[in-house]
Amino acid sequence: MKKKQKKSDYAKMQGRDFLSVDDLSIQEIKSLFELAADMKRRPKKYRKALDGKILALIFEKPSLRTRTTFTVAIQSLGGTCVDYPPGDIGLGKRESVYDIAKNLERMVNGVMIRTFGQDIVSSFAVYASIPVINGLTDFEHPCQAMADFFTIAEHKKNIKKLKIAYIGDGNNVAHSLLLMAAKWGASMYVATPPDYAAEASVVQHAQDIAQKSGGSIIVTTDPIEAVRDADVIYTDTWTSMGQEAESIIRRNIFKPYQVNRELFSNAKHDALFMHCLPAHRGEEVTDEIIDSPNSVVFDEAENRLHVQKAILLALLGD
Ligand code: CP
């Protein structure tokens, strides 16, 4: 009886989009994690789960993990994917977002999009009758946050009791992690340089969610305050895709936010080190920390596969 209830939580997601962490309730997130854990344990059971389904992959920015894990995910569920050379589709440039959405909905069963503006994936999702998945925009990286919290759940007992510290740029990854931490009722600190804070609207929304879930969201410019007695320390590149012209100035501004041995020593001895990758070793994190036994960065990368398999089955399944 209990098992049936769990299955129906993700089964109710059929046909929906996944554009933001905010699109999922905490019950749906937990249900997807249970499904992902089973898929990780027993991959053969799901070999035909999306038999004949086709996923389009649109990348307007480079990718290793997202491209590989979505390709492997759909294929290991019995489906296939269509990928396009960079720049081929030209969302809103070669052809309007509306026309691309109206074409693809007649050809494929779902679309994953990595692009710049969140408005592009939102518009696409409005126009297309098929599920649309956000594979990273400038505003959010929800599949990454799903894999990250799935990884935390594998290593730590009770997420609600954890102190999670995010150090560095208040970017798309920080936004998705803020919303996810708030939904779980965790305590999350985000330490950024003064002019590089997370969007105030996202912080406020996360604080509102946390108030109901029993969590807390604290923003600061002090990395030591953020990591003190933390259970998880997370960082990301100081220069995200599309900001390359700012990389030299950013390297100077973000220097005090490097996750190195000295900063890490303020956290709990068994704190996890996390990074969505790609890492710029020697900038936001030292080799010593990313290669340490505390680091779970490759677990996070692998878990993109398992979590996205669960997301695909929930959205594209019959
Ligand atoms: N973390 C992540 O999204 O990796 P890619 O940019 O390589 O896809």
Side-chain angles (χ1 to χ4, degrees), residues 201-222:
S201 61
V202 178
V203 173
Q204 183 60 58
H205 187 43
Q207 285 172 336
D208 292 345
I209 297 169
Q211 203 168 26
K212 292 181 194 126
S213 66
S216 60
I217 301 294
I218 290 132
V219 292
T220 176
T221 54
D222 180 356

Side-chain angles (χ1 to χ4, degrees), residues 62-67 114 141 144 241 276-278 304:
S63 169
L64 168 69
R65 281 147 292 272
T66 306
R67 186 189 299 279
R114 167 168 288 194
H141 198 356
Q144 183 67 50
M241 288 177 271
C276 61
L277 304 178
R304 291 288 302 276

Side-chain angles (χ1 to χ4, degrees), residues 4-283:
K4 263 190 180 167
Q5 181 56 43
K6 280 178 188 166
K7 190 177 174 191
S8 68
D9 282 334
Y10 72 78
K12 282 185 215 153
M13 294 173 62
Q14 187 192 351
R16 275 170 45 185
D17 305 306
F18 181 44
L19 308 181
S20 163
V21 168
D22 214 23
D23 292 340
L24 300 179
S25 68
I26 186 64
Q27 289 76 20
E28 288 167 340
I29 293 168
K30 286 178 179 172
S31 171
L32 285 168
F33 281 11
E34 282 170 22
L35 177 60
D38 196 51
M39 290 173 136
K40 187 171 181 176
R41 251 190 328 265
R42 299 187 291 169
K44 286 182 183 164
K45 183 183 159 195
Y46 297 92
R47 266 190 311 207
K48 301 272 181 206
L50 288 180
D51 200 18
K53 301 275 179 169
I54 304 167
L55 180 70
L57 302 176
I58 300 176
F59 284 95
E60 299 210 303
K61 294 180 177 183
S63 169
L64 168 69
R65 281 147 292 272
T66 306
R67 186 189 299 279
T68 308
T69 51
F70 269 109
T71 304
V72 174
I74 189 72
Q75 289 179 357
S76 62
L77 296 172
T80 186
C81 63
V82 189
D83 199 344
Y84 311 90
D88 217 37
I89 293 256
L91 272 174
K93 295 187 190 103
R94 178 173 180 266
E95 195 167 1
S96 72
V97 172
Y98 177 85
D99 284 356
I100 296 169
K102 292 319 250 182
N103 274 267
L104 287 182
E105 71 179 14
R106 291 168 179 245
M107 301 163 186
V108 301
N109 303 100
V111 185
M112 188 243 58
I113 304 174
R114 167 168 288 194
T115 186
F116 296 87
Q118 183 77 12
D119 59 314
I120 298 173
V121 290
S122 300
S123 306
F124 200 110
V126 169
Y127 303 142
S129 58
I130 51 177
V132 176
I133 300 170
N134 179 354
L136 178 147
T137 64
D138 292 343
F139 198 65
E140 266 212 60
H141 198 356
C143 295
Q144 183 67 50
M146 286 289 282
D148 293 336
F149 271 69
F150 182 79
T151 306
I152 294 172
E154 285 184 324
H155 289 273
K156 299 282 179 191
K157 276 196 185 82
N158 186 353
I159 293 180
K160 222 173 157 57
K161 290 194 174 156
L162 300 181
K163 176 177 176 181
I164 299 168
Y166 177 94
I167 310 296
D169 189 18
N171 60 14
N172 47 5
V173 172
H175 289 167
S176 293
L177 292 172
L178 273 165
L179 296 171
M180 189 66 89
K183 282 180 187 261
W184 279 94
S187 163
M188 181 158 177
Y189 283 65
V190 177
T192 68
D195 293 335
Y196 296 85
E199 288 273 339
S201 61
V202 178
V203 173
Q204 183 60 58
H205 187 43
Q207 285 172 336
D208 292 345
I209 297 169
Q211 203 168 26
K212 292 181 194 126
S213 66
S216 60
I217 301 294
I218 290 132
V219 292
T220 176
T221 54
D222 180 356
I224 296 174
E225 180 195 0
V227 302
R228 192 173 293 122
D229 296 323
D231 300 282
V232 176
I233 298 182
Y234 198 117
T235 191
D236 190 10
T237 50
W238 294 336
T239 307
S240 293
M241 288 177 271
Q243 299 170 334
E244 288 75 10
E246 299 172 31
S247 66
I248 292 171
I249 188 165
R250 279 175 172 259
R251 241 176 268 158
N252 287 325
I253 292 167
F254 282 87
K255 218 170 179 179
Y257 296 83
Q258 183 187 66
V259 179
N260 51 32
R261 193 206 308 211
E262 195 186 338
L263 186 65
F264 209 88
S265 69
N266 293 284
K268 288 187 181 150
H269 75 280
D270 61 348
L272 302 178
F273 172 73
M274 303 186 74
H275 192 307
C276 61
L277 304 178
H280 292 177
R281 288 166 175 258
E283 291 188 18

